[in-house]
Amino acid sequence: MNVNVRSIVQLTQMAIPHLVKTKGTIVNVSSVTGTNAFPGVTYYCMSKAAIDQFTKCLALELASTGVRVNAVNPGVIVTQVHKRGGLSDEAYAAFLEKGKTTHALGRVGEAHEVAKGIYYLASEMSSFTTGHLLAIDGGRGIMTPR
């Protein structure tokens, strides 16, 4: 909670005065786990759900100032975070392989795909968008276990 929620809230609170002056935008990085329940990662899911709610509430609070607030909600993305969390190379490879069956598009994502979504939400291309949670999850959030 300290890393995934408190740090975002505190950093945002410090940045708001500057963002209001500059009509800036906020793009939070959440997760598919913020909008969907997954076993074994309860507290991570809770922290990302908090970021999703923070995004929507803050969007309402800051809308009158011209500051937009949105979030991206990635599925599994190839990064080092899982290995840094303790997965061995073999376990990580198996995790990515399983991702082919848990994402509707049949693959996990790449960091550049998430970056493009962040860029879009931070740019003028999304000038009429606030309070939005952009799923960049290869369809993971719409998959239903059988």
Side-chain angles (χ1 to χ4, degrees):
M1 291 297 187
N2 283 337
V3 171
N4 288 349
V5 181
R6 184 178 304 229
S7 64
I8 303 302
V9 171
Q10 289 178 336
L11 179 62
T12 301
Q13 288 172 329
M14 290 185 279
I16 285 174
H18 177 72
L19 292 168
V20 169
K21 282 183 204 172
T22 62
K23 303 297 183 218
T25 186
I26 296 169
V27 182
N28 290 316
V29 178
S30 184
S31 169
V32 66
T33 64
T35 56
N36 297 273
F38 295 95
V41 287
T42 297
Y43 305 107
Y44 184 76
C45 291
M46 287 172 55
S47 71
K48 292 304 185 173
I51 292 301
D52 291 348
Q53 192 67 359
F54 177 64
T55 298
K56 293 187 279 184
C57 291
L58 197 60
L60 288 175
E61 288 182 21
L62 295 178
S64 65
T65 70
V67 174
R68 297 180 301 108
V69 186
N70 296 289
V72 294
N73 293 69
V76 174
I77 305 298
V78 177
T79 67
Q80 294 299 310
V81 71
H82 294 94
K83 285 189 193 179
R84 287 182 186 146
L87 281 185
S88 67
D89 289 343
E90 297 78 26
Y92 185 58
F95 175 71
L96 294 179
E97 187 63 29
K98 183 180 178 192
K100 293 178 180 178
T101 65
T102 60
H103 293 71
L105 291 179
R107 68 178 180 87
V108 297
E110 299 287 335
H112 70 89
E113 293 171 305
V114 178
K116 288 177 183 179
I118 293 169
Y119 178 80
Y120 168 74
L121 290 173
S123 76
E124 284 301 311
M125 291 183 286
S126 65
S127 61
F128 199 56
T129 303
T130 196
H132 185 68
L133 307 176
L134 179 61
I136 306 175
D137 66 358
R140 178 68 184 108
I142 58 171
M143 296 288 287
T144 303
R146 299 177 202 211

